[in-house]
Each structure stands twice: as C-alpha cells, then as structure tokens.
Amino acid sequence: EQGLAQQSGLWRAQGWTVASGATVRGGWPLHARLTVPGLALSGPFGPPGGIAWSAQAVVLDVALLHPGLLTVELIGQQQLRVGPGPAIPVSAKMARAVLPLTPGVPPQRLDLALTGLRAGPPGAVLEAARATLGLEEQPGATASEPAVSVTLDAADIALPPAPGGHDGGQSWALGGRIDSLSLEADVTGPLSALPDPQARAEAWRDGGGTVAVRRLALHWGPLNLDGSATLALDGALQPMGTASMRLTGQAPTLDALATGHVVTPQVAQAAKAVLA
C-alpha cells in the first residue's frame, strides 16, 4: 500500500492523472497481496492527444519465498487509448508482469507474459495465443550502450481484417494468421524527456541514437524470414539503415503478393529472378 501510494504520487508529480477504487488486502501468510479495482492512468504524453489506460482490476503480489519480485496481474477488461482516437478494448486469459524490487531504486526490468490476448474493437480484433515481452532500461548507459533493450516473442497471431478486407482477415496476401514473430532489439542514444515528439526525435538523432535489431524472425504463410538490422533517423526524421536477411519461401511469397495485388506480376517476376 505504501509503495502504491508513493508510485501514484510520483506519477501525479510527472503530470499523470491516477484514479482507483478502494484497495483490498489478501494472501496472508504466504503472500502480501493488494487488489486495486478500477486503476486508471492518463496523461498528455506521447502522441498528440496523450495516452490513457485503465483496467478492471490490478493485483499486486509479493510472495514470502520471493520477496525481491513483484508480480502484477491484470484482471478483466482493459481500455487503451493512444492519441485522439477511441479507446481500444484489450483482454487476455492471463496477463502477468514480473518486476524486480530493489529498495530505493525504480524497477528497471519488466517481463510480461500473455495468453489468449484479444485487442481491438468488434470486427477488427487482433488475437495472439501467447506473447511475452521483456523491457530493460539502463539509466546510466553511455551513448554507445543500450539505453533500452526489448525482446518480443509471439505465436499463433490472428490478424484483423486488412484495410478494405472482410471478416477473418482473408484479404491479407500472406493469410490472416502469423505463425510466429520474434524480436530482439537495443535502443542506444539519449532518450530525451522533451514534451514535443519532434524535438525528442531530433535530440535522439543528433545524439547518435540508433536501433540495433539483433534478431527479427517471422513465419507468415509461405514466408520464413530471419535477420538483423541497424536503423537511425535521417535529416528529415525518416528511417534509414542497413539490414541482412535470410529468406525461404520467397517465390510463393512473391506469387501471393502478386495475387493479392500488393505488387504487380512484373515486379514479382523481377524480384524472383534477382533472389534466385
């Protein structure tokens, strides 16, 4: 309870609006557990229009045998709004995050596990059978060291209908289901706290900021892709970079893209000739 009150005060001091219902204690004697109903956060950060998130309930748990770990479980329906658009419903059969607890130090790592994820309005729902996300921050990182590291692993992803498509997402050229997606990436360079997104991007670019994609793996329909890349921003704040990719199934992939009118048949034939 004390930690939640301190964190809420910190969020409010940073400009966030924090609201919740009356907390409920439980779990004794093997757990210190706090259930927080109706937790909601919103603030004028990120894109124009800000960010807002709410959950039906959040359970904070510290086990007697693992006092250095805080488990955060999200219960019931959630709502996420990014920018001026409408809030997006989000739910999961299981949504659990684990954070290390160090006295006097904000958590610098988060590991999130999801099963049965559903996100999006009716008729445009993205689903994933399972997904894991890892985030690690190094506040004292130098310009050449990772300031933020990200890992993502998702499987059995059902896509919403493609723009202009129909129910089931069958209008996606490679099919409405992605078998697996994995990402490992590091962000280097100064992560500015300037309120203007363009000013933040310029400061990051001018400070030598890069995104090092250590691994990107994708299995989608006939396509199997595995590679790495280094990305940055050019003078117009547009992405630039280099990449190395290993592809299999490129010929049927190009045929599917041509059949789906993503590329012309002439482009598909030319690309197959080059890749051969």
Side-chain angles (χ1 to χ4, degrees):
E1 283 181 321
Q2 292 174 355
L4 177 62
Q6 292 171 356
Q7 184 62 50
S8 297
L10 177 62
W11 281 332
R12 292 187 178 100
Q14 293 172 342
W16 292 91
T17 298
V18 184
S20 68
T23 57
V24 179
R25 300 175 183 175
W28 186 263
L30 298 181
H31 294 259
R33 182 177 300 133
L34 197 67
T35 300
V36 187
L39 181 61
L41 294 170
S42 62
F45 303 98
I51 298 174
W53 169 83
S54 63
Q56 184 176 336
V58 176
V59 178
L60 309 175
D61 188 287
V62 178
L64 176 66
L65 298 180
H66 302 284
L69 294 177
L70 170 65
T71 299
V72 181
E73 188 163 2
L74 308 180
I75 306 297
Q77 187 81 15
Q78 303 172 54
Q79 297 284 333
L80 175 64
R81 180 184 58 78
V82 179
I88 299 173
V90 180
S91 64
K93 292 181 180 178
M94 186 274 290
R96 184 177 296 128
V98 177
L99 299 89
L101 290 178
T102 303
V105 179
Q108 296 173 1
R109 179 167 181 85
L110 178 146
D111 292 290
L112 174 65
L114 301 162
T115 61
L117 174 66
R118 290 175 55 87
V125 176
L126 172 72
E127 300 181 62
R130 65 169 182 83
T132 58
L133 173 67
L135 294 172
E136 185 171 5
E137 182 182 11
Q138 298 186 41
T142 64
S144 60
E145 294 177 333
V148 177
S149 297
V150 181
T151 59
L152 171 67
D153 186 21
D156 198 7
I157 305 166
L159 299 171
H166 49 80
D167 288 346
Q170 295 303 311
S171 58
W172 292 98
L174 300 184
R177 188 171 295 275
I178 296 176
D179 293 319
S180 62
L181 170 65
S182 297
L183 173 70
E184 299 174 11
D186 296 325
V187 180
T188 64
L191 298 180
S192 170
L194 295 171
D196 179 58
Q198 180 173 335
R200 286 202 304 271
E202 290 173 344
W204 180 70
R205 176 200 62 196
D206 296 343
T210 62
V211 176
V213 180
R214 291 182 277 116
R215 182 169 187 253
L216 172 64
L218 173 68
H219 182 195
W220 185 2
L223 174 65
N224 275 287
L225 177 152
D226 198 325
S228 59
T230 300
L231 307 173
L233 296 177
D234 65 14
L237 296 182
Q238 299 302 301
M240 63 178 184
T242 60
S244 175
M245 297 289 173
R246 181 185 297 274
L247 301 173
T248 59
Q250 59 265 33
T253 295
L254 287 164
D255 289 338
L257 294 176
T259 301
H261 307 291
V262 178
V263 300
T264 65
Q266 293 81 1
V267 167
Q269 289 298 326
K272 283 195 288 186
V274 170
L275 291 173

